[in-house]
Amino acid sequence: PTGLGMEVMAPATINALNGTSVKLSCTFNSCYKVENKQFSLNWTYQECKNCSEELFLQFRMKIMNKQLDRFGNRVEFTGNPTKYDVSFTLNNVQLEDEGTYNCYVLNPPDRQRGHASISLKVLTEEPPKRDSTVAVIVGASVGGFLAVVILVLMVVKCVRRKKQQRLNTDDQKTEEEGKTDGEGNPDEGTK
């Protein structure tokens, strides 16, 4: 529908280990098919919040790497615009690569240019693995408790339904008995 801009989606923050490769994922959805002649994409890098954006990857009919000294040839386009994916991979991540990466997408006839930002954090060592034993125990306990509560509620509901059916059956019997007089002859009604 016109008036609604395209939606661009990317994780807010990505952590990467120094010296490894990291995929900076950016996808979008559009009501329109991607036509290479009209589609455009820009990836920019910002070292700090108030720093200017540096263009390092662009799509105009085809992918063009802007060889920033900062990245050299470590930027590799790994997306597929026709599948609404404009991700790229940064190889051999360096501490200086930390910053904000902006993904700008325009897919005419969409009028609005879509935008998403990723904050890249570069780690010098892997974060310690969290012991999830406590979480598993708590989760299992809560899950078990909820299962018991649901089971009890189901039993109560079934018991109530059976009682209601019995009452309805008893009411029908009473009505049928009330239609006969004491000697089993049908009542002739009020005179």
Side-chain angles (χ1 to χ4, degrees):
T2 57
L4 291 176
M6 69 168 62
E7 187 181 7
V8 179
M9 290 127 334
T13 305
I14 293 180
N15 294 324
L17 192 58
N18 189 28
T20 63
S21 293
V22 63
K23 181 177 180 179
L24 279 81
S25 178
C26 182
T27 58
F28 66 96
N29 49 33
S30 170
C31 297
Y32 306 103
K33 187 178 171 188
V34 173
E35 298 289 341
N36 281 357
K37 289 178 183 171
Q38 297 175 322
F39 177 79
S40 68
L41 158 73
N42 287 340
W43 271 102
T44 65
Y45 168 77
Q46 268 180 294
E47 192 170 354
C48 64
K49 199 171 192 176
N50 297 325
C51 297
S52 59
E53 294 182 39
E54 302 173 61
L55 178 66
F56 67 90
L57 193 101
Q58 191 174 37
F59 186 100
R60 299 278 184 285
M61 307 278 275
K62 63 177 186 152
I63 282 295
M64 295 175 277
N65 282 10
K66 303 288 185 184
Q67 295 298 331
L68 284 183
D69 290 340
R70 170 184 303 283
F71 301 122
N73 60 358
R74 298 181 295 124
V75 172
E76 177 188 351
F77 185 72
T78 49
N80 183 345
T82 58
K83 293 186 177 175
Y84 307 106
D85 181 359
V86 290
S87 308
F88 79 93
T89 299
L90 183 59
N91 296 305
N92 191 17
V93 173
Q94 305 296 307
L95 293 172
E96 309 83 66
D97 296 337
E98 198 165 273
T100 302
Y101 291 79
N102 296 292
C103 174
Y104 296 100
V105 180
L106 181 61
N107 185 39
D110 275 325
R111 292 183 187 153
Q112 302 285 316
R113 180 168 78 154
H115 170 249
S117 291
I118 301 171
S119 175
L120 178 66
K121 307 282 185 212
V122 180
L123 310 173
T124 52
E125 58 183 50
E126 284 192 63
K129 298 271 187 248
R130 291 194 186 127
D131 184 10
S132 59
T133 309
V134 173
V136 169
I137 291 170
V138 169
S141 301
V142 170
F145 175 74
L146 288 174
V148 169
V149 168
I150 290 169
L151 184 66
V152 167
L153 289 173
M154 292 294 286
V155 168
V156 167
K157 188 174 184 177
C158 289
V159 167
R160 283 186 178 164
R161 187 175 287 159
K162 283 186 179 178
K163 273 187 182 177
Q164 189 63 44
Q165 284 175 343
R166 268 194 230 123
L167 286 174
N168 289 346
T169 307
D170 290 348
D171 286 349
Q172 284 176 348
K173 283 182 185 174
T174 306
E175 281 180 24
E176 287 171 10
E177 288 169 1
K179 288 180 184 172
T180 59
D181 64 13
E183 297 162 15
N185 298 323
D187 242 350
E188 291 172 16
T190 53
K191 293 178 185 169

